Amino acid sequence: MPKSKLSRLNNTAADVALLDRDQSILAFNERVLSLARRSDYPLLERLRYLCIVSSNLDEFFEVRMAGHLNAAQGTQTAPGFSRESFLALSEAAHHLVALQYRVFNELLSPQLAMEDIHVLSHAERDEAQRRWVKAYFYEQVRPLLMPIALDPSHPFPQTANKSLNFILNLRGKDAFGRHNDVAVLRVPRVLPRLIELPKKIANASHSYVSLSSVIRSHLADLFPGRQLDHFSQFRVTRNSELAVDEDDVTNLRTALRAGLQQRNYGEPVRVEVSSGCDALLAERLLREFGLPAQSLYRVGGPVNLVRFMQLADAIPRADLKFSVYLPSWPKAFARPGESE
């Protein structure tokens, strides 16, 4: 290629503004979320798109956010990471999360209810449903819960990546006469996050209760003799990027195994809380996890919308899903076993 032409190409390339990789990821997920708002798409498929966005955001924070956060806190410097990049990404992520919950609360939930599909809060449950939920709590949930009241001998517990937890503000003394005004409740992953009510009390084709709602309704029962002032569900997302330098390890298999085991307890990068979380409890969480205010995400609903994929998968409503693709043999080709 003539030198003058090559020079013109190089100058043109230098003038082109490149797209920011991480901003592009968030912009892509906003386009995916737009599919959840399309009225011409089946309802359960729109819910599935909403869940996909939640799953993608989890992966984004697990893999891409730590470098920007470390740069903002001054603990790491690397090309492409800065306090400005962290603030810009946080602003875009907060916007996307707020939009996501508006779609869930204002569009999808009312339309699911119109199709006789309900996820009932405590206030929406009738007396028979509340009795069933209480029995379920004491038989299936309560035996697996271990609330921890925080004091000098009981520090803030280690919380696994993307696990469901509660933080509570208490008044009064515990059974040992101690004043410990903050407690943490970790919820085991073995418990299902959405529970379908029995048909005889459902009052609808499909009625569910969320595990967080079941626990919320009975939090006071876990602290007899104490007064419960404030509480919030919370979920911490941790840096889960797996980076192993093959030149610095003697056994790559062992290094990968150790890295995979530690991913659940990596560096915190995001904390999600209920929208009405008390300011002091929110500040306590940020302090415990060493995070700035921009890393706190208040959500107007369940902290993990990915779990609602269960509805899209389990509800047998073909009219609310895309038609099943039926492959056919190309007419131009002979079928197997047929001669040409």
Side-chain angles (χ1 to χ4, degrees):
M1 179 182 296
K3 184 176 180 179
S4 58
K5 189 172 183 180
L6 180 60
S7 177
R8 287 197 301 273
L9 286 175
N10 288 337
N11 291 336
T12 302
D15 293 337
V16 174
L18 299 178
L19 295 175
D20 180 88
R21 175 180 179 176
D22 294 327
Q23 288 283 1
S24 296
I25 293 173
L26 294 178
F28 166 77
N29 279 288
E30 188 166 353
R31 292 196 297 274
V32 175
L33 183 59
S34 70
L35 300 178
R37 300 190 298 188
R38 290 191 53 162
S39 58
D40 57 328
Y41 275 22
L43 183 57
L44 290 178
E45 301 296 348
R46 293 165 61 190
L47 178 63
R48 196 187 303 275
Y49 283 121
L50 184 83
C51 297
I52 289 171
V53 172
S54 284
S55 177
N56 289 349
L57 279 176
D58 286 349
E59 183 180 355
F60 174 81
F61 279 95
E62 288 176 303
V63 177
R64 298 298 307 169
M65 202 62 169
H68 300 279
L69 174 61
N70 291 336
Q73 294 178 323
T75 59
Q76 173 183 310
T77 56
F81 300 104
S82 65
R83 174 174 174 77
E84 289 71 25
S85 68
F86 170 73
L87 294 176
L89 285 174
S90 295
E91 182 181 1
H94 276 282
H95 165 75
L96 181 55
V97 169
L99 179 59
Q100 183 185 17
Y101 279 87
R102 282 203 302 273
V103 171
F104 177 74
N105 291 318
E106 299 174 13
L107 291 180
L108 297 184
S109 291
Q111 291 179 31
L112 286 169
M114 291 174 62
E115 296 293 343
D116 217 18
I117 301 169
H118 303 270
V119 180
L120 301 173
S121 66
H122 178 72
E124 295 171 323
R125 298 195 279 266
D126 62 27
E127 190 57 36
Q129 292 167 345
R130 291 184 181 185
R131 285 197 302 269
W132 186 91
V133 167
K134 184 174 183 178
Y136 181 88
F137 173 79
Y138 276 100
E139 293 171 8
Q140 304 293 331
V141 181
R142 178 65 184 91
L144 300 179
L145 300 181
M146 185 179 294
I148 301 172
L150 306 185
D151 56 40
S153 61
H154 298 88
F156 199 95
Q158 184 72 285
T159 53
N161 181 39
K162 298 186 298 185
S163 62
L164 175 63
N165 308 272
F166 284 84
I167 185 167
L168 310 94
N169 181 238
L170 303 167
R171 281 186 292 133
K173 298 179 181 180
D174 65 13
F176 300 98
R178 296 173 301 193
H179 287 282
N180 34 28
D181 59 350
V182 176
V184 171
L185 177 67
R186 295 180 294 182
V187 181
R189 281 199 165 104
V190 67
L191 292 169
R193 294 313 194 241
L194 284 177
I195 305 111
E196 187 169 13
L197 293 175
K199 295 296 183 185
K200 62 181 180 181
I201 62 169
N203 299 332
S205 299
H206 303 279
S207 289
Y208 293 80
V209 291
S210 68
L211 179 64
S212 59
S213 172
V214 171
I215 295 174
R216 242 185 358 250
S217 304
H218 299 89
L219 277 176
D221 299 346
L222 299 173
F223 301 91
R226 307 291 300 273
Q227 291 78 48
L228 181 59
D229 277 347
H230 305 285
F231 64 88
S232 174
Q233 55 183 323
F234 76 90
R235 178 174 180 257
V236 58
T237 310
R238 297 179 178 273
N239 179 25
S240 300
E241 186 175 15
L242 187 61
V244 176
D245 190 341
E246 298 180 31
D247 297 328
D248 292 342
V249 297
T250 55
N251 189 316
L252 182 59
R253 179 181 177 182
T254 302
L256 286 172
R257 180 180 296 170
L260 290 171
Q261 291 173 345
Q262 295 169 6
R263 292 177 80 187
N264 269 339
Y265 299 99
E267 170 194 356
V269 293
R270 173 182 63 165
V271 176
E272 297 166 276
V273 298
S274 303
S275 58
C277 178
D278 179 69
L280 292 178
L281 291 180
E283 290 173 10
R284 178 67 181 263
L285 288 171
L286 290 175
R287 187 166 64 251
E288 292 290 347
F289 294 120
L291 292 172
Q294 293 84 357
S295 295
L296 181 75
Y297 288 76
R298 293 179 177 271
V299 301
V303 295
N304 186 5
L305 290 176
V306 177
R307 298 292 187 172
F308 281 76
M309 189 73 80
Q310 176 183 336
L311 298 184
D313 292 336
I315 293 177
R317 290 282 303 272
D319 58 316
L320 301 181
K321 300 180 181 181
F322 287 132
S323 356
V324 177
Y325 173 71
L326 298 175
S328 59
W329 195 259
K331 295 181 179 180
F333 297 94
R335 294 180 179 274
E338 294 181 357
S339 63
E340 297 183 1

